[in-house]
Every structure is written in structure tokens, then in C-alpha cells.
Amino acid sequence: MKITEEHIDAMRSECHRSAGVEAGTVAELLREALGRLGFTPDVAVPHGEKDERLFWPVLRGEVTVSGHPMVALGRIPLDSANRLAEILMRAALEEHTKKAATR
């Protein structure tokens, strides 16, 4: 007998299943946000060729053994990682400035 994904899902508790759905939803929200920032799904670029496109990392909704929802982020090309870091730093500075102004 071959164990399938359905067998594994049947053994999971309702808590694990709902955590998996939650993690998948958050991963999808991240994909949508990255898409709006100009990132695209990773595609094969021949080695040595320069590509100006920004690629998002592999995003996967997962659940830990103890039932905690997690989003796994895979590898991302260096240019895309630099751009993402720049965007996040700008957002963090904006958030910090907004908080300081409301105090």
C-alpha cells in the first residue's frame, strides 16, 4: 500500500488542517503583495544571462508538528533580495516615522 497525501491529511487533527489553511492563505497574501511590488514567480534564467526582473522566493504554507502555522520562504536571487530589503527598510522607516509622529 502506498501512503498518499490523502492518508496523511486524514491523520491530521482539525487544528492542523486549519493551521495549514491559515498558512497557505498568508503565503498567498505575500505572493500578491510581492506581485504588486513588481516581483514575479521564479522562472529559469540560463546561467550567466543578466535578467532585470525581480523574482519572489518560493512561498509555501506549512504546519509544524505541534500545529503552528508557518510560511516557508525559499531561496531568492541576490538582486531580488536586495530590492526586497530596500522596500522593507523603506516601509520600516515610514512606520517608525508614523509612530514617532503620533506620540
Side-chain angles (χ1 to χ4, degrees):
M1 179 177 140
K2 182 178 178 184
I3 296 177
T4 64
E5 203 57 42
E6 289 80 27
H7 290 106
I8 294 168
D9 284 341
M11 294 186 328
R12 289 188 178 125
S13 69
E14 179 58 37
C15 178
H16 276 75
R17 282 192 294 275
S18 65
V21 169
E22 184 179 2
T25 301
V26 172
E28 190 55 44
L29 286 172
L30 283 170
R31 279 187 206 97
E32 184 179 330
L34 289 169
R36 289 181 182 190
L37 290 169
F39 289 76
T40 61
D42 191 12
V43 294
V45 177
H47 183 66
E49 285 190 21
K50 188 70 175 163
D51 194 330
E52 299 299 318
R53 291 177 290 180
L54 298 171
F55 299 108
W56 66 51
V58 174
L59 297 166
R60 220 174 32 249
E62 298 180 342
V63 180
T64 64
V65 174
S66 57
H68 293 93
M70 305 287 278
V71 175
L73 300 170
R75 292 195 271 176
I76 183 172
L78 188 58
D79 291 344
S80 296
N82 275 332
R83 181 71 179 123
L84 184 56
E86 180 184 322
I87 291 167
L88 291 172
M89 288 298 283
R90 245 191 243 136
L93 180 60
E94 183 179 311
E95 187 66 23
H96 180 72
T97 304
K98 205 173 5 176
K99 283 182 180 177
T102 59
R103 288 184 186 164

